[in-house]
Amino acid sequence: MTPESARALAEDYFNGGRPHPLDIGVYTFDAGYVAWPREPTPGDPTVLPDTVGGACIVIDRHTGEVSVRPLLPPELVAELWPDPTPR
């Protein structure tokens, strides 16, 4: 799995069929890639975001397998990988 193929997989995972695709962030680490949808920056910071909570995915570098994880900072998600439960 290359960074380009991981990005393409993540874009399809989060945007497949969306009329207005979201920008996708990708963080590379030794065992794979953490990907998440980036919400547009709100014009008014006092307005709550459209999505509260959410998830990111981890794409295994060797198998391409996708695993869903809580939306935490990507460095923390990578640090906790492959343990499925954040500490």
Side-chain angles (χ1 to χ4, degrees), residues 17-46:
R18 276 182 165 263
H20 304 289
L22 297 169
D23 183 33
I24 303 299
V26 177
Y27 174 78
T28 303
F29 67 106
D30 288 342
Y33 308 90
V34 179
W36 66 97
R38 292 184 179 166
E39 292 288 329
T41 305
D44 180 356
T46 63

Side-chain angles (χ1 to χ4, degrees), residues 13-14 34-35 54-59 65-71 77 81-86:
Y13 183 89
F14 288 111
V34 179
C56 64
I57 59 173
V58 176
I59 304 167
E65 183 178 341
V66 174
S67 298
V68 177
R69 295 292 185 262
L71 186 56
V77 173
W81 181 257
D83 183 4
T85 309

